[in-house]
Amino acid sequence: MSAKHRTVLIAESGSGFGGSAKYLSDLLGTFPKGMFAIEVLAYGRGPLFERIEPLGIPIKYTPLLRFPWFEKRLDPFESEKANSWRYGLSLLAAVVQLGLLVPIATLWLFSKGVRVVHLNNEIRSHLPLLLAARLSGCKVLCHLHGWRHLTRLEQAAAGLVHLYVGITHPGTRFYQKEFPKGRYVTIVNGLLLPPPKEDISERLAIRRQLGLEETAICVGMIGRLVHWKGQEIFLEAFQRVLKQDSRAYALVVGGSFDQNGAYLKTLQGHAERLGILGKIHFTGWQKDINPYLAAMDIVVHASVNPEPFGLVIAEAMAQGKPVIASDGGGVSELIRDHQTGLLVPPKDPVRLSEAILELIRSSELAARWGKAGRAHILKEFDIRQNSRKVARIYRALLGDAKLLRPRILTTYPIPQSPIWQKATVLVEPRPNGTSHSFKRVGLRDRTLPWRLLKARKNFDVLVTGSEREDCLFALLQQILPGRKIPHIMTCCLWKSERNPLRRWMKKELLRAMARSVTLFLVWSRRECESYSRHFGIPGEKFVFLPHHTSLQGYDVESRAGDYIFAGGDSSRDYETLLKAVAMLPVQTVIVARQIASWDGKGLPSNVTVKATDPIEFRQLMAGSRMVVLPFSGGLLQSTGQQTYLNAMLLKKPVIVSEVPGIFDHMTPEVTGIVVPPEDPEALREAISRVLAGGPRIEKMVEAAYRRVQKEFTLDHFVKRMIAQAAKVSENGKESF
């Protein structure tokens, strides 16, 4: 089908000043060429549309097509007490507009040969075009760039849309609750990523223009001047900052598009009452915000309502600026709290001021967050990825591609998860698939790699563990002809080898596999960097996936016991534990194969060691007073997550040695106690604190239980795994 027979009409109901118009101009600037004939329909004439015209894309301005009558301020259905006069006028105006415009728009869509109508924002303003699109047989796609409850009229019309596109995962979930019958995909918004700038001329020029001294700390906020963006909260927070550090200046970038700039005057009056007007610069709307970003030392985003995405946040992070943002809406898609930025409660000027002062006082922390934020944006939010996914959606609506959940082939069984079983097709080893000679080299089933090679053409993505058959498949797929299926590998054996020859062999094997494997899933953020460096594999091959509990489906009852429980074999340091618990007035039960033979051989009298089955292991943990996991120091890999997460779910106080992965799953002194590895004194002190009990320990146990329920259940893990599969799949899916 030629491009001229694949016409797509993109309608933008905004004024051309806001984030949705900015997104549209960036999207079209990177859209795959020649695939579709695209035209733009705009209801306003804002300056952001000027970026579209040089691209050679036809753009038409039709403000009369905008449907305003049933917006919330005019919709009689949204009033608690309907006013019959108001209702009659609104209904009459709506009928006249629809009666005139829908037939005209329908004929126009027919004449243009439009096949897909893409509403770049909410339904409400597009109602005439939406009706015309359905009458003319077009497929309708609706981008959800907002975050608000649907009006009753919108809910009535929502079923006319074939597909909704959320710009963040939280945003998609919000609208799924508003209209559960709709079909949704998530394509996280992107932006044109700026190159790193070493030249500071822009920064100095703006600061000189504003009269800022070299030592001044510039705290900036960028966004339209509207109440929900939180500029008043920012001013109140800035007043508190000034009391602590007089070097601070505030920069408020954005225009007030209400009548006569009324809200700008409100903000200026508020600043004057706070006594800070002389320390604040209101710049008005700026076509290019990059010079102003360059002038800022800290960027603040203080929305009081949920933010659909936060494009300004992404732009600031892309420039390497440390960002403080209100925790609401889709912002969590951009900022990982205390890693790539800082999230604060909305409508809280006190907490916002404390966060600003924290960055002012620690330039090292600000620089670290800025660097981490830029790396996160560069990796995840490139508009070119976004545009390819939108093109795939168009193809799906035109019938050229499938828009289904990814077909996942797997050798990684999760029998306790109905979600995983429903989403995947499991290929299991055959009981008699390998001769004795093959078993000697560790192959359970020599036929499994070949069966995977044969089956891959019928699936979108393969998820495996790191058994020898899985590794052999990865090597074979690299060298044999045929379709290369995206391959995700979990539980890889990243443990460093002591023997130089074995270490070299493992490194070369993993590097060879990495040429075929799309992603390696690892259980801590630190491992993404350390494995890349240690094994010489590109860092983009690694993705952190939080671990999970494994009690789902088992009947385990937690009881308040009178003994310490420690268990597991991987990288455990039980010698340190024995030194720590010696002479303590409490029994200790250690369940581990590696020391089961120690029983009765010089152990402290209050220690019992044993090897047992998984059922008794869980029961002993559930009946303990606390769970202690002593790990060896200097580990390359993370370990023990499943054990301590299970303990947290059982409401046991948990003490662990610091190893990779701990801080991804546990917050010290909040959800558990973390001690230095191989330090019996520190471990003994931590155990004594738990034995003493008290409100602090009880609060920690409850916080740990809540966090595990919120983030680390098996269902969370499986959904994240499926999301990663969808992300690397070639065929477009329910989530991108």
Side-chain angles (χ1 to χ4, degrees), residues 7 57 294 347:
T7 302
I57 295 174
K347 304 179 185 179

Side-chain angles (χ1 to χ4, degrees), residues 184-367:
Y184 297 83
V185 299
T186 301
I187 305 180
V188 177
N189 256 11
L191 68 156
L192 285 173
L193 298 172
K197 293 186 178 180
E198 301 296 335
D199 185 9
I200 62 171
S201 58
E202 280 188 343
R203 172 181 172 86
L204 295 177
I206 293 293
R207 289 171 75 94
R208 281 196 299 268
Q209 177 184 324
L210 298 173
L212 300 183
E213 302 172 358
E214 291 185 10
T215 58
I217 305 295
C218 184
V219 184
M221 184 173 178
I222 302 175
R224 285 179 298 148
L225 301 188
V226 291
H227 172 73
W228 73 270
K229 286 289 187 181
Q231 283 90 357
E232 292 177 66
I233 301 296
F234 173 60
L235 297 181
E236 293 169 14
F238 182 69
Q239 181 199 38
R240 294 174 177 272
V241 171
L242 271 180
K243 292 178 180 179
Q244 300 291 324
D245 196 321
S246 60
R247 297 175 300 160
Y249 281 82
L251 191 57
V252 179
V253 180
S256 177
F257 302 111
D258 52 0
Q259 189 174 10
N260 300 319
Y263 191 60
L264 172 60
K265 295 175 183 177
T266 298
L267 292 175
Q268 290 171 333
H270 191 46
E272 187 172 6
R273 288 190 296 275
L274 293 171
I276 58 174
L277 188 58
K279 284 277 194 172
I280 295 181
H281 297 275
F282 293 92
T283 71
W285 186 85
Q286 299 296 324
K287 185 175 182 179
D288 183 6
I289 65 168
N290 287 320
Y292 292 88
L293 275 174
M296 297 176 187
D297 298 295
I298 299 168
V299 177
V300 171
H301 195 270
S303 295
V304 298
N305 293 345
E307 181 69 52
F309 177 68
L311 182 60
V312 168
I313 298 174
E315 290 174 322
M317 293 170 70
Q319 293 283 10
K321 300 295 178 179
V323 178
I324 303 168
S326 297
D327 187 5
V331 173
S332 59
E333 197 90 49
L334 293 164
I335 293 182
R336 295 170 178 165
D337 194 22
H338 283 85
Q339 295 180 45
T340 60
L342 183 62
L343 298 175
V344 297
K347 304 179 185 179
D348 190 342
V350 176
R351 183 67 189 93
L352 179 56
S353 65
E354 291 172 351
I356 295 171
L357 287 168
E358 182 180 359
L359 290 182
I360 289 176
R361 291 165 181 164
S362 176
S363 57
E364 180 183 348
L365 181 64

Side-chain angles (χ1 to χ4, degrees), residues 116-127:
V116 175
V117 172
H118 180 172
L119 311 180
N120 193 45
N121 28 35
E122 33 73 26
I123 300 172
R124 183 171 61 194
S125 300
H126 292 295
L127 189 58

Side-chain angles (χ1 to χ4, degrees), residues 6-11 23-24 27-28 31-32 35-39 115-120 139-143 163 165 187 387-401 403 736:
R6 301 157 63 95
T7 302
V8 176
L9 178 70
I10 306 178
Y23 164 79
L24 180 58
L27 173 74
L28 294 177
F31 207 76
M35 189 176 292
F36 305 96
I38 294 178
E39 296 191 17
R115 300 284 304 280
V116 175
V117 172
H118 180 172
L119 311 180
N120 193 45
K139 299 290 186 180
V140 181
L141 167 71
C142 182
H143 239 101
L163 185 69
V165 177
I187 305 180
S387 61
R388 287 194 293 269
K389 292 170 182 176
V390 172
R392 193 185 305 159
I393 291 289
Y394 290 167
R395 289 182 56 217
L397 291 175
L398 289 167
D400 295 343
L403 188 67
F736 288 90

Side-chain angles (χ1 to χ4, degrees), residues 629-685:
L629 298 178
F631 298 120
S632 303
L635 295 179
L636 179 67
Q637 79 284 0
S638 63
T639 186
Q641 293 97 327
Q642 189 167 282
T643 303
Y644 60 73
L645 288 174
N646 282 346
M648 291 159 69
L649 187 63
L650 290 169
K651 293 191 174 182
K652 303 298 178 183
V654 177
I655 303 172
V656 295
S657 305
E658 181 182 342
V659 290
I662 290 294
F663 300 128
D664 295 309
H665 301 86
M666 181 183 296
T667 304
E669 303 301 324
V670 177
T671 61
I673 300 175
V674 181
V675 299
E678 302 174 1
D679 187 339
E681 294 297 328
L683 185 55
R684 183 184 298 117
E685 187 274 334

